[in-house]
Amino acid sequence: MLMPDGLDDLYQEIILDHYRHPRNKGLLADADLQAEGYNPFCGDQVRLTMDLDESGHVHKVGFDGQGCSISQASASILTKLVKGRSVDEVQGLVATVRRIMQGADMTDEQKDELGELEALEGVKKFPIRVKCALLPWTTLQDAVSEYRKTHAQ
Ligand code: ZN
């Protein structure tokens, strides 16, 4: 299934654009943070890699994966949103996206900050698709957790 019926046209357009022209596609070699995720409900796969600069902010990010349009578009949008953020900020972002996808309404401030993520908010109406939308974000959480384990202060 390419796209759930009943999703807003504008949202569909944004999702399909990211699906067909993914941003930051391609994995980084020797990345500082990496993880991979799999969604058995849909067969979606995502691998994420990120490099930090000297001040600990994400300065390069790359992903690879396959699966439905929602999962791959979510990964593409994610790569745009994590750039320039510290590991703590990335963690906060994951928590925010989870709350939104699990039912919280986006505030105007979040809409400004998260931009195209609003397209994925429409997926909330389709519980099975929420797992697709969240896959890259749970993968991101895994990457952060793994990084923290190996870089404990
Ligand atoms: Zn999926």
Side-chain angles (χ1 to χ4, degrees):
M1 177 167 73
L2 193 59
M3 184 70 63
D5 290 332
L7 202 62
D8 201 280
D9 281 351
L10 172 66
Y11 290 166
Q12 288 201 19
E13 223 170 271
I14 293 171
I15 290 168
L16 283 177
D17 178 55
H18 274 276
Y19 178 61
R20 290 178 180 143
H21 311 286
R23 317 305 196 266
N24 304 301
K25 189 107 191 236
L27 297 174
L28 309 173
D30 301 321
D32 293 322
L33 285 85
Q34 56 181 315
E36 51 183 292
Y38 175 60
N39 169 20
F41 294 93
C42 188
D44 306 321
Q45 287 175 301
V46 171
R47 289 180 72 191
L48 276 178
T49 52
M50 282 163 285
D51 274 339
L52 303 177
D53 64 15
E54 279 159 21
S55 67
H57 292 74
V58 175
H59 82 121
K60 271 198 220 159
V61 52
F63 86 99
D64 197 6
Q66 52 187 5
C68 70
S69 58
I70 304 285
S71 66
Q72 302 305 304
S74 181
S76 175
I77 292 170
L78 175 153
T79 64
K80 288 177 71 182
L81 288 173
V82 295
K83 269 200 187 161
R85 291 181 198 258
S86 68
V87 172
D88 281 348
E89 287 165 348
V90 167
Q91 175 113 49
L93 181 66
V94 172
T96 300
V97 172
R98 275 198 171 143
R99 276 197 300 275
I100 290 167
M101 293 310 298
Q102 287 164 357
D105 287 326
M106 281 175 96
T107 63
D108 288 342
E109 200 177 275
Q110 285 170 339
K111 285 177 185 173
D112 285 346
E113 187 196 354
L114 303 176
E116 290 166 326
L117 194 82
E118 199 180 343
L120 291 170
E121 196 196 9
V123 170
K124 282 199 295 205
K125 289 180 282 184
F126 313 96
I128 195 78
R129 314 300 289 180
V130 169
K131 290 190 197 316
C132 303
L134 276 180
L135 175 68
W137 298 91
T138 53
T139 307
L140 180 58
Q141 177 60 58
D142 288 347
V144 168
S145 300
E146 191 56 35
Y147 178 80
R148 287 239 160 91
K149 247 192 268 169
T150 51
H151 296 77
Q153 275 105 9

